Amino acid sequence: RCPLRDPLPPFTLPPPQSPLTPPRGERQFAQYRASHSGHRGLFLKMAAADTRPWAEQFKLSNMMAQEYENGMTGAQAVSKMKDLLGAKGCWPPDRESVPEEWEEALLLRFFIGFKKNPEAGSEAFSDMLAWRKDNGINEIRQKLLNGLEPSEFPRYETVRRFYPLLKCGKDKHGCPILITLTGLIDPAKLVKAVTLEEMRLYIIYEMESKFIKLCQLTAETGIFYRALEVHDLKGLGMHHLATGPVGLLRKVVKEVSANYVEISDKVFILNCPFASVVRTVLRQVVPARSQHKLAVHGALAEYEQVLGERAAREEYHECLFGGDMPEGLNAEEGDSMDKWPKVTVPARDKKVVEHALTAGQTVLWNVCPEALDVGCSLVFNSKSGKSTRVFEGEERIASLQRGSFQAEEDGKLVLALDNSFSYLKQKVVLYDFEILNVQQLSTQSSEDLSAAAGP
């Protein structure tokens, strides 16, 4: 039987169950027909699969000339997006955000990334331009273009220990290979080691660095480049289910990723427990248009050959094949947080911690709940009776907070911890007050002080 001529296999209706209810078979048949409504189109697409060489398929000029499912060519979609952006006053954009040589490819990324819908793509594109302006992303881009190395990213050594991202070589098409050691990500330790804003800033630097490389490759070669992403789940455990820290991390990644669209060509998920089950589930939840990008594999014996078909072994990191981990990732946490004092705040209670300061002293302060959230404020009360608010969270804090404060006169720094809202659970909070010496203060800028405030 030819699926193109007879797309639905025969279906036999069972006898009615009851004269008072619709036949169960009819309901089944309706569901079956609805679920196979795209059956014929699916076979037509399979029959018309693109067999051109990779470079031809993703040549930018060919993608602009290609007609997509909505009946528009890439060039028509890009032109319409420009008109829509122009009507909003967003086109032409500032050339720091959208260099002229990146223009067409960047718009095409948003068109493809938003279901080949020019209206949705232009809306997301205008949001991206506003986000870059509001967050000073073009200043970050300039630093990267001027040669800023990954090891110089904010809080690099601390973040990479609990959120390891590896930049490796290139696959056989020239796509950059980016590896995330997902199984080694420790959300609970990450939110204790860095503030939410520091984590966000680090991820922005990483994403912007990746995006610049892809845009430059596209501009130089005329080929629509995307990255090969590898997520290694080895080490996955119950600590990855800590809902509070995972939620904070997901919030940051979601915000940043929304502004870097269509940058992955293929995603390999390795060392996945119950890989066959996961593959079945993903087929149900991942849109058909994206399933070709995702490949789920179990242990090394299953994925070694697959990786080899995409790139030479030396282009990956050896840790994927049982070799040593990257330098620094085997080390213990080793920071001073273990030595910080702790205070236990009982349920329905408050606690206050005081630290004396003399005029001219600068203190680097850190406050971090051990597990659950707690209300927190930090105030400096001078001997003259003046009160200065140093920190007060708008909401209860659930992760590390840090900062610096210079006392203009003698007084006390008062840390107030509020757990009065909790009826059952006590909270354990770590804190630290470090006095910065005068010589160090005279040679460091405010930006340096912020970086020095880490654990």
Side-chain angles (χ1 to χ4, degrees):
R1 183 172 64 253
C2 175
L4 294 179
R5 190 173 60 248
D6 184 15
L8 289 177
F11 187 89
T12 304
L13 294 176
Q17 292 179 324
S18 164
L20 301 178
T21 59
R24 181 168 176 263
E26 288 184 5
R27 292 200 303 273
Q28 282 184 333
F29 183 78
Q31 294 170 358
Y32 179 80
R33 180 171 288 281
S35 66
H36 288 74
S37 60
H39 199 266
R40 181 179 177 85
L42 176 61
F43 280 111
L44 286 171
K45 286 180 186 176
M46 289 172 64
D50 197 336
T51 57
R52 292 174 298 169
W54 183 89
E56 281 297 309
Q57 289 184 48
F58 296 102
K59 190 174 182 180
L60 187 57
S61 59
N62 291 343
M63 294 183 73
M64 293 293 283
Q66 178 182 337
E67 184 175 320
Y68 294 91
E69 296 92 319
N70 60 2
M72 302 179 74
T73 64
Q76 290 170 337
V78 165
S79 178
K80 184 170 183 179
M81 289 176 68
K82 289 180 180 179
D83 291 341
L84 292 169
L85 289 165
K88 288 184 174 184
C90 299
W91 197 269
D94 68 277
R95 289 308 176 187
E96 287 187 335
S97 295
V98 187
E100 194 169 353
E101 61 272 21
W102 297 4
E103 184 179 294
E104 287 190 347
L106 191 51
L107 286 166
L108 193 61
R109 289 183 194 276
F110 276 77
F111 168 65
I112 295 173
F114 284 86
K115 301 181 181 180
K116 302 180 179 67
N117 183 327
E119 288 80 10
S122 61
E123 185 70 29
F125 195 92
S126 66
D127 291 344
M128 178 272 291
L129 294 175
W131 178 79
R132 294 186 69 88
K133 182 179 180 181
D134 294 343
N135 291 276
I137 308 300
N138 289 333
E139 287 78 2
I140 294 174
R141 175 177 288 177
Q142 197 55 52
K143 291 179 184 178
L144 293 167
L145 291 173
N146 289 338
L148 187 74
E149 294 293 329
S151 58
E152 300 175 286
F153 291 177
R155 310 288 296 159
Y156 171 77
E157 287 298 337
T158 302
V159 176
R160 73 182 289 268
R161 204 166 7 162
F162 308 120
Y163 194 93
L165 305 173
L166 310 179
K167 299 178 183 66
C168 298
K170 295 182 179 180
D171 71 2
K172 64 182 181 182
H173 304 307
C175 297
I177 299 175
L178 307 172
I179 300 173
T180 303
L181 301 181
T182 310
L184 296 185
I185 294 176
D186 195 325
K189 288 184 178 179
L190 184 60
V191 298
K192 290 181 181 179
V194 295
T195 67
L196 196 61
E197 181 56 30
E198 288 170 338
M199 186 195 317
R200 176 178 176 272
L201 191 60
Y202 176 83
I203 293 174
I204 288 174
Y205 270 81
E206 286 283 359
M207 293 295 287
E208 184 70 15
S209 174
K210 179 199 302 186
F211 190 66
I212 289 172
K213 180 179 290 187
L214 294 173
C215 289
Q216 287 177 333
L217 276 171
T218 298
E220 291 167 5
T221 63
I223 296 174
F224 192 80
Y225 268 101
R226 290 171 288 191
L228 170 62
E229 294 193 12
V230 179
H231 293 264
D232 185 2
L233 303 191
K234 188 175 183 180
L236 202 67
M238 294 300 294
H239 60 284
H240 289 93
L241 302 179
T243 55
V246 169
L248 292 172
L249 185 58
R250 187 184 295 118
K251 180 181 177 182
V252 171
V253 173
K254 183 178 179 181
E255 177 221 336
V256 176
S257 299
N259 296 284
Y260 298 97
V261 178
E262 200 61 24
I263 59 177
S264 298
D265 177 55
K266 186 80 173 180
V267 179
F268 287 122
I269 299 177
L270 312 181
N271 290 303
C272 180
F274 309 106
S276 59
V277 177
V278 173
R279 279 193 288 266
T280 302
V281 173
L282 289 176
R283 287 193 198 103
Q284 306 301 319
V285 299
V286 176
R289 66 179 185 279
S290 301
Q291 287 186 11
H292 69 281
K293 286 188 175 185
L294 198 60
V296 180
H297 299 285
L300 175 61
E302 184 180 334
Y303 67 74
E304 185 172 14
Q305 181 179 348
V306 176
L307 293 187
E309 291 170 355
R310 187 68 191 240
R313 180 163 174 159
E314 57 268 20
E315 299 293 332
Y316 301 100
H317 194 282
E318 196 58 31
C319 67
L320 297 180
F321 305 99
D324 293 337
M325 297 298 295
E327 185 178 353
L329 295 187
N330 282 324
E332 294 298 323
E333 185 170 350
D335 54 39
S336 59
M337 185 179 285
D338 293 337
K339 301 176 183 177
W340 289 1
K342 295 182 181 180
V343 57
T344 301
V345 190
R348 291 178 284 182
D349 200 359
K350 301 179 180 180
K351 287 285 186 179
V352 172
V353 177
E354 297 183 346
H355 188 84
L357 293 177
T358 58
Q361 281 187 327
T362 295
V363 62
L364 305 178
W365 58 269
N366 298 270
V367 182
C368 184
E370 196 167 68
L372 303 171
D373 59 349
V374 67
C376 175
S377 67
L378 190 62
V379 176
F380 178 72
N381 296 324
S382 67
K383 284 189 175 181
S384 64
K386 181 181 176 182
S387 183
T388 304
R389 181 178 296 174
V390 178
F391 171 81
E392 183 170 6
E394 296 179 2
E395 302 175 354
R396 300 190 289 265
I397 65 170
S399 59
L400 176 67
Q401 307 293 323
R402 64 154 59 88
S404 61
F405 175 76
Q406 185 174 22
E408 295 180 356
E409 51 183 311
D410 294 354
K412 287 185 178 179
L413 199 60
V414 180
L415 172 64
L417 302 169
D418 183 359
N419 194 32
S420 58
F421 59 88
S422 179
Y423 285 89
L424 299 174
K425 296 182 178 179
Q426 67 179 21
K427 309 294 170 61
V428 178
V429 182
L430 295 87
Y431 68 92
D432 181 57
F433 300 113
E434 179 184 351
I435 303 300
L436 191 67
N437 63 58
V438 177
Q439 288 78 12
Q440 190 175 9
L441 178 65
S442 63
T443 59
Q444 286 185 309
S445 65
S446 58
E447 185 178 348
D448 295 331
L449 287 178
S450 177

